[in-house]
């Protein structure tokens, strides 16, 4: 997907579509299901936007967790345990995410949750999960404050919730990484900054600006947009008259695609650059030919270039999901597998059974997991952040995103 057209990959995976059923593990008596063989059922919750503008990313998350569960069951990875998923649609709305978190906590068979996509949604869920000692691992949240507290940028880092982890790296690295690439490699010296005023977008734009100006770059102008309007003619005119040689957008692809198109049509023949929120095949659809030459950063290395990801890609195709795994597929699979590894550690340490305080034990075990995953080595630091800090720059060329630079932030 990462070096080929996301659209093409979606088409390639369309054959033999599988209908995914989000199921809990309660039996008719309200207790644990017997897993079909006298064993124990463990539920992994999933929260992501599976409808609405961001559904392409959300469905990739859900499907990839489902694949991890299928693989764990097929391998009988945890003796006596069958895994199931319970998936909820948050529509990229914090209020929906909080409601979903409450539902997942209420199901005593849920021992871990993967998601959500949006940092703003995660802000509404973290305390709910933490109060219940229910581990949450996001494959996509990049706002640094979620793990390091609101004063992280001053050097005062305090982990707000011990139940929260993520397999994606943060905007404390992603924004500066993009700034270094644009200034040092692409030769861009004058940027017009735009963000959507949301937790993810505004935070990403701020970390980019800090590094870009530190390097000697100039800010030609700044603007905030309402991503729901899709009419960006006013800001497009500002960009054209600013003399900027690049636009950096903090936000997601539903607005970034039309924004790019309108900037070019206004006469500013300069690239729009964004973070992982615009790295999607849907950005290519929405920006059209005007978007050719635009850039995006995303977490990790291109999945198809990693030997560790070969099996994931093959198994995803075999499973017949009708949607592509998109930018966070590998990270979602690894997030689910981290929970599976934690469950295994707890069961193995308790004579092959889950203890009464299974959630607390799984939470404790999650912080200690270390394994070779789809995206590389999977483990967490003292804040719950991924120890894998790699990022990649992608360029829209032809009809696809093409990887042009991979590495880590040299800060």
């Amino acid at each position: 997907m990462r070096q080929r057209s996301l659209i093409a990959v979606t088409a390639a995976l369309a054959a033999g579509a599988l209908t995914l059923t989000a199921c809990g593990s309660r039996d008719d008596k309200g207790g644990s299901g017997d897993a079909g063989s006298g064993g124990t059922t463990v539920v992994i919750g999933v929260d992501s936007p599976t409808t609405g503008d961001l559904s392409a990313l959300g469905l990739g998350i859900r499907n990839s967790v489902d694949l991890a569960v299928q693989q764990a069951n097929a391998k009988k990875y945890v003796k006596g345990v069958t895994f199931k998923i319970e998936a909820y649609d948050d529509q990229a709305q914090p209020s929906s995410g909080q409601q979903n978190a409450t539902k997942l906590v209420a199901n005593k068979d849920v021992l871990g949750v993967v998601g959500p996509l949006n940092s703003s949604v995660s802000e509404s869920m973290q305390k709910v999960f933490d109060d219940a000692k229910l581990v949450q691992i996001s494959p996509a949240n990049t706002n640094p404050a979620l793990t390091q507290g609101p004063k992280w940028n001053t050097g005062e880092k305090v982990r707000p919730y011990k139940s929260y982890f993520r397999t994606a790296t943060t905007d404390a690295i992603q924004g500066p990484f993009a700034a270094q690439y644009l200034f040092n490699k692409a030769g861009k010296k004058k940027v017009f900054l735009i963000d959507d005023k949301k937790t993810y977008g505004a935070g990403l734009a701020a970390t980019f600006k800090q590094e870009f100006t530190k390097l000697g770059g100039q800010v030609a102008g700044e603007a905030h947009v309402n991503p729901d309007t899709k009419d960006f003619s006013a800001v497009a005119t500002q960009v054209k008259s600013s003399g900027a040689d690049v636009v950096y957008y903090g936000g997601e692809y539903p607005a970034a695609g039309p924004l790019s198109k309108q900037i070019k049509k206004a006469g500013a023949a300069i690239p729009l650059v964004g973070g992982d929120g615009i790295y999607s095949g849907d950005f290519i659809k929405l920006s059209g030919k005007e978007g050719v030459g635009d850039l995006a950063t995303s977490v990790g290395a291109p999945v198809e270039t990693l030997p560790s990801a070969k099996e994931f890609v093959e198994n995803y195709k075999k499973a017949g999901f009708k949607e592509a795994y998109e930018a966070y597929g590998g990270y979602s699979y690894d997030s689910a597998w981290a929970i599976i590894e934690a469950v295994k550690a707890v069961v193995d340490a308790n004579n092959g059974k889950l203890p009464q305080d299974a959630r607390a034990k799984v939470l404790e075990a999650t912080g200690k997991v270390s394994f070779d995953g789809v995206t590389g080595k999977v483990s967490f630091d003292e804040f719950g952040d991924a120890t894998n800090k790699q990022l990649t720059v992608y360029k829209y060329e032809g009809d696809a995103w093409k990887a042009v630079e991979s590495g880590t932030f040299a800060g």
Side-chain angles (χ1 to χ4, degrees):
M1 176 189 64
R2 298 211 178 192
Q3 287 186 306
R4 300 278 183 183
S5 168
L6 295 177
I7 301 169
V9 172
T10 303
L13 296 178
L18 173 71
T19 300
L20 175 66
T21 301
C23 50
S25 62
R26 303 267 177 166
D27 59 22
D28 291 340
K29 297 177 182 178
S32 297
D34 68 2
S37 58
T40 301
T41 295
V42 168
V43 178
I44 296 178
V46 190
D47 179 87
S48 64
T50 52
T51 59
D53 287 345
L54 294 172
S55 61
L57 297 176
L59 289 165
I61 290 171
R62 186 193 68 179
N63 293 349
S64 299
V65 175
D66 185 53
L67 180 62
V69 164
Q70 291 181 34
Q71 292 295 305
N73 290 338
K75 296 174 182 178
K76 294 181 170 37
Y77 194 71
V78 182
K79 188 176 180 180
V81 171
T82 293
F83 292 93
K84 293 185 178 181
I85 72 165
E86 183 170 321
Y88 288 100
D89 175 18
D90 62 29
Q91 301 176 314
Q93 298 298 320
S95 58
S96 295
Q98 189 173 64
Q99 291 169 10
N100 294 344
T102 301
K103 292 174 185 175
L104 288 164
V105 165
N107 182 348
K108 67 180 180 61
D109 299 321
V110 177
L111 296 188
V113 178
V114 177
L117 168 70
N118 305 86
S119 293
S120 57
V121 175
S122 214
E123 286 178 328
S124 74
M125 305 174 82
Q126 285 180 303
K127 188 177 187 303
V128 178
F129 290 136
D130 199 67
D131 286 347
K133 293 184 172 57
L134 179 59
V135 65
Q136 172 194 3
I137 308 180
S138 173
N141 294 164
T142 54
N143 187 279
L146 295 173
T147 48
Q148 299 178 16
K151 297 181 180 179
W152 66 270
N153 204 24
T154 68
E156 187 180 333
K157 299 178 181 180
V158 179
R159 187 176 183 181
Y161 300 104
K162 292 183 179 180
S163 64
Y164 178 83
F165 299 81
R166 54 177 147 206
T167 51
T169 194
T170 76
D171 293 333
I173 299 171
Q174 182 173 206
F177 179 76
Q180 289 188 355
Y181 176 81
L182 289 176
F183 190 87
N184 296 326
K185 302 287 182 68
K188 303 299 182 183
K189 309 300 181 185
K190 198 172 182 181
V191 67
F192 195 100
L193 285 169
I194 306 172
D195 71 65
D196 62 4
K197 296 189 287 186
K198 294 183 180 179
T199 301
Y200 163 74
L204 180 61
T207 61
F208 171 88
K209 177 183 178 181
Q210 184 177 34
E211 181 67 15
F212 193 75
T213 54
K214 178 182 173 183
L215 291 169
Q218 292 180 280
V219 177
E222 297 185 58
H224 306 289
V225 296
N226 178 353
D228 297 325
T229 66
K230 302 299 189 293
D231 178 4
F232 306 113
S233 55
V235 71
T237 300
Q238 292 178 48
V239 171
K240 182 181 183 300
S241 62
S242 71
D245 55 12
V246 66
V247 171
Y248 190 82
Y249 177 65
E252 295 150 331
Y253 67 82
L259 175 62
S260 174
K261 182 187 286 283
Q262 291 172 42
I263 287 172
K264 311 302 194 299
K265 287 188 172 181
I270 59 176
L272 179 142
V273 183
D276 53 319
I278 79 167
Y279 178 58
S280 168
D282 280 22
F283 175 85
I284 291 174
K285 295 177 186 177
L286 293 166
S287 64
K289 66 182 186 299
E290 287 84 4
V292 172
D294 287 348
L295 298 154
T297 55
S298 193
V299 294
V303 168
E304 287 77 10
T305 69
L306 297 171
S308 58
K310 183 178 180 182
E311 185 180 1
F312 166 76
V313 174
E314 291 175 352
N315 288 335
Y316 194 96
K317 185 174 181 180
K318 288 177 184 176
F321 297 114
K322 64 181 180 179
E323 305 90 6
Y325 49 81
E326 286 277 354
Y328 306 108
Y331 295 90
S332 302
Y333 187 97
D334 283 350
S335 295
W337 205 264
I339 295 169
I340 292 166
E341 289 282 3
V343 170
K344 185 177 188 302
V346 170
V347 169
D348 289 350
N350 193 53
N351 299 316
K353 297 180 181 179
L354 284 173
Q356 289 296 317
D357 58 343
R359 282 183 175 173
K361 287 290 197 298
V362 169
L363 172 55
E364 182 183 358
T366 299
K368 301 174 183 177
V369 299
S370 180
F371 62 96
D372 293 324
V374 172
T375 59
K377 191 73 172 179
V378 178
S379 60
F380 305 102
D381 65 16
E382 69 270 27
F383 298 103
D385 281 326
T387 55
N388 184 351
K389 309 293 186 184
Q390 192 166 24
L391 288 148
T392 299
V393 177
Y394 296 88
K395 188 174 185 179
Y396 174 8
E397 293 183 356
D399 62 351
W401 287 111
K402 180 180 179 181
V404 294
E405 177 96 359
S406 287
T408 56
F409 168 55

